Amino acid sequence: MTRDTLLALGLVLVTASQLRPGDLPIGPGELCLVVWVMLMLSDMRRLQQSRLTPAFTRMLIFWGLFTIALCLGAMTAYALDDFHDSTLFIHDALAYPLLAAVSLLSAVTPDAGCRIGRVAWALVVLSIGFFVLQIACGFDLISIPPFDPWYWDRLRGFSQNPNQLAIFCAVMTFLSLHVAEQAEGPKHKLVAGACSLLAMVVGRLTRSDTFGLILVTGLILYALLKLRAWWPSPGRRPTLRTAAAVITVAAVPLVVVASLLFVDQIRAEAEGIVQKMAKGTSAETSETANIRLESWRLALDRGLESRLLGFGPGPHLEIPPVLVAARRESLDPPYIEHPQFNGTPNFEAHDTFLDLFTQGGLLAVLAYGWLLGTTCWQAYRSRQDALTVMMWSITVLSIFHLIVRHPLFWFAMVFGLVAAADAYVPSPGMTRSK
C-alpha cells in the first residue's frame, strides 16, 4: 500500500513544477517516482513471478520501437550536422527512461490489476487535497509566499504554467468519473465524484482552450455513450431508464426546430459563452491559433528535412518569428519561463504527433498512434463510458500539447489497458465493470 501511495503522490506532485528547487529539472514529484521505481526493481522475487499481461506487452513493444526511433533520429542529426540545445537533449534523454520504467512497472507486477486500482483510488483522494489547496491559494484563503498561483487571469496553481495544470485536470476529470462509476458504496462514489467536479472547476480556472474543448465534447460523448448503454437490445423489455433515453432522442428534432426559430438569440448567447470559455479576446485567440499553425508547419518541414527519421530527443524548432515579436512587445511576469532566444532550435510544436515526428520520425509517430489507437479501441469495446471519454481527452491533448513527458499520461494509458481488459480489482469500494 505504501508503494501505491508513493506512486500516486509522485503523479500528483510532478505537476507542481514550482516546487522544484532553483533551476533543477527534478522536484518532489520526480523524486517520488524515482524512489518508487527503485523499490519496485528491488523486489526481484515478485518481478520474476510476473506474467506477460496485454498491457505490459503493448508498453514493451511501444518503448522498444520508440527507443529505436530516437536512436535513429540522434544518428541522423549527427550525420546531417544538425545542431540542437544539448541541455534539452539530455533532459528528454533522462526523462524517457523514467517514464518507460513507470509505465512498464505499473503493468508488469503479478498483482498489476489490484495495484492499478489502489493507485487510482489513492490518486483520486490525493487530487482532492491538491485541488482544494490550489483553489484556496488562488483565492487568497491561504498564503504560500514563494508561489504565485496566477498567470495574469489564468490559474496555474503550483505549476510553472496553466497548461500543465489543465492537462492534469483533463485526465483526472474522467479518470475520477470512471472510479465513481465502479465504486460500490455511496461514500466512495461521492468522493470520486467530488474529485471529478473539482477537476472541472480548476480546469476552467486555468482558462485553457484545450480543456474547454475536452470538457464540452467529453460530456457530450459521455451522454451519447450512456444513451448507447441504455438503448434496448432485441428481446429485452424497455425500462423506465430506457424510455427516458428514447424520449430524449425523439426530442432532438424538436430542439433543432426550436433552435432555428430562435437562432438570433441563441447566437448572442453562444458568443457570450465562447468569450467566457476562451482565455482572452477574439484577437488574442486568433493570434494563439496563428502561432500554433506556424509551429506545426515548421515541425512538418523539420521532420521532412530529417528524411522521416527525426533528430533525436529534445525540441528541434526555431521560435516562430511572430512569437519573437510578440514577446518583445509584451511584459510577462518574471517567474514565467519561455524558451530563450539563444540561436538554437529549442521550441516545440505543442502537438504530440508532430513533436515526435521531429524527434523519432515516422517510426515514432506510428508507434505512438498504434498505442493510442488500440488503447482507445479497447476502452470503447469494454463499454466503460468514462474510461472511453478519458481516452478521448488524451487524444485531444495529443493534438494540442506534447504529453508524452507527463507521468500521469502513462499511468492513464496503463490504467486504460488494464481496465479495458477487466483485469483489475478496484480498491477500495470499487467493483469490476460488467
Side-chain angles (χ1 to χ4, degrees):
M1 181 64 72
T2 302
R3 295 183 188 179
D4 303 331
T5 305
L6 184 63
L7 174 57
L9 184 62
L11 295 174
V12 171
L13 291 181
V14 77
T15 307
S17 50
Q18 286 192 69
L19 297 179
R20 297 171 184 170
D23 296 328
L24 294 178
I26 62 173
E30 290 81 4
L31 288 177
C32 287
L33 295 179
V34 170
V35 173
W36 179 81
V37 169
M38 295 175 63
L39 290 175
M40 294 296 293
L41 292 177
S42 65
D43 195 354
M44 294 302 299
R45 177 178 299 180
R46 291 178 63 84
L47 291 178
Q48 291 174 355
Q49 296 173 353
S50 301
R51 59 188 179 89
L52 208 61
T53 63
F56 177 78
T57 303
R58 290 176 188 272
M59 286 295 168
L60 188 63
I61 292 174
F62 168 79
W63 283 112
L65 294 175
F66 190 62
T67 301
I68 294 173
L70 290 182
C71 291
L72 290 175
M75 290 188 290
T76 301
Y78 180 80
L80 297 178
D81 292 326
D82 186 82
F83 67 98
H84 55 264
D85 190 316
S86 58
T87 302
L88 297 177
F89 176 91
I90 295 174
H91 175 273
D92 280 11
L94 294 177
Y96 285 137
L98 175 61
L99 296 169
V102 169
S103 60
L104 290 171
L105 291 174
S106 296
V108 71
T109 54
D111 59 343
C114 298
R115 180 179 300 279
I116 209 75
R118 294 195 299 265
V119 174
W121 179 254
L123 184 59
V124 165
V125 174
L126 291 173
S127 295
I128 291 177
F130 185 63
F131 290 138
V132 170
L133 187 61
Q134 293 187 93
I135 292 175
C137 187
F139 289 94
D140 296 327
L141 299 178
I142 61 174
S143 177
I144 305 179
F147 308 119
D148 189 331
W150 293 97
Y151 171 53
W152 298 117
D153 60 345
R154 302 180 63 190
L155 181 69
R156 66 169 187 160
F158 301 140
S159 303
Q160 287 291 348
N161 64 74
N163 289 330
Q164 291 178 337
L165 182 57
I167 291 173
F168 181 84
C169 292
V171 176
M172 286 307 302
T173 294
F174 297 106
L175 177 60
S176 302
L177 187 60
H178 173 78
V179 173
E181 282 189 338
Q182 305 302 318
E184 286 183 338
K187 176 182 176 181
H188 296 97
K189 287 182 180 292
L190 182 61
V191 171
C195 182
S196 181
L197 182 60
L198 284 171
M200 294 182 194
V201 172
V202 175
R204 289 300 304 122
L205 290 174
T206 65
R207 299 179 70 85
S208 166
D209 294 333
T210 305
F211 181 84
L213 175 64
I214 289 173
L215 186 60
V216 172
T217 59
L219 292 177
I220 293 175
L221 177 60
Y222 184 72
L224 292 175
L225 291 173
K226 284 299 180 186
L227 185 63
R228 176 195 67 171
W230 295 342
W231 196 265
S233 59
R236 190 176 67 182
R237 296 181 61 184
T239 62
L240 179 61
R241 188 170 62 177
T242 302
V246 174
I247 292 173
T248 301
V249 174
V252 169
L254 299 178
V255 174
V256 173
V257 173
S259 300
L260 292 177
L261 293 176
F262 298 98
V263 64
D264 292 334
Q265 291 87 340
I266 292 174
R267 182 186 297 114
E269 292 294 331
E271 289 176 355
I273 293 173
V274 170
Q275 185 66 29
K276 292 178 181 179
M277 298 253 332
K279 61 173 177 284
T281 64
S282 58
E284 292 171 342
T285 302
S286 177
E287 180 182 358
T288 301
N290 291 335
I291 293 173
R292 190 178 296 274
L293 291 174
E294 175 66 13
S295 64
W296 289 356
R297 184 190 64 80
L298 292 174
L300 186 59
D301 291 342
R302 287 287 283 165
L304 296 175
E305 181 184 338
S306 70
R307 279 69 167 176
L308 304 182
L309 295 174
F311 294 106
H316 298 285
L317 303 182
E318 298 284 351
I319 301 177
V322 62
L323 188 57
V324 175
R327 288 182 183 169
R328 286 174 179 171
E329 296 175 358
S330 64
L331 296 176
D332 282 344
Y335 47 75
I336 296 297
E337 295 183 359
H338 290 304
Q340 300 300 314
F341 310 129
N342 55 14
T344 59
N346 58 2
F347 191 75
E348 294 170 337
H350 298 86
D351 177 289
T352 300
F353 295 96
L354 290 175
D355 279 315
L356 292 183
F357 190 45
T358 63
Q359 293 187 19
L362 185 60
L363 178 58
V365 174
L366 292 177
Y368 179 76
W370 166 77
L371 179 64
L372 181 61
T374 54
T375 307
C376 289
W377 176 244
Q378 290 294 329
Y380 177 77
R381 287 186 59 188
S382 70
R383 303 182 73 87
Q384 300 182 64
D385 302 330
L387 189 69
T388 303
V389 181
M390 183 189 75
M391 295 310 305
W392 162 254
S393 68
I394 289 176
T395 303
V396 176
L397 288 171
S398 299
I399 298 174
F400 297 102
H401 296 282
L402 176 60
I403 63 171
V404 292
R405 289 200 302 261
H406 291 259
L408 181 62
F409 160 76
W410 290 108
F411 173 78
M413 292 294 290
V414 174
F415 182 86
L417 287 170
V418 174
D422 202 21
Y424 79 116
V425 180
S427 173
M430 297 168 60
T431 59
R432 292 177 183 265
S433 61
K434 297 178 181 177

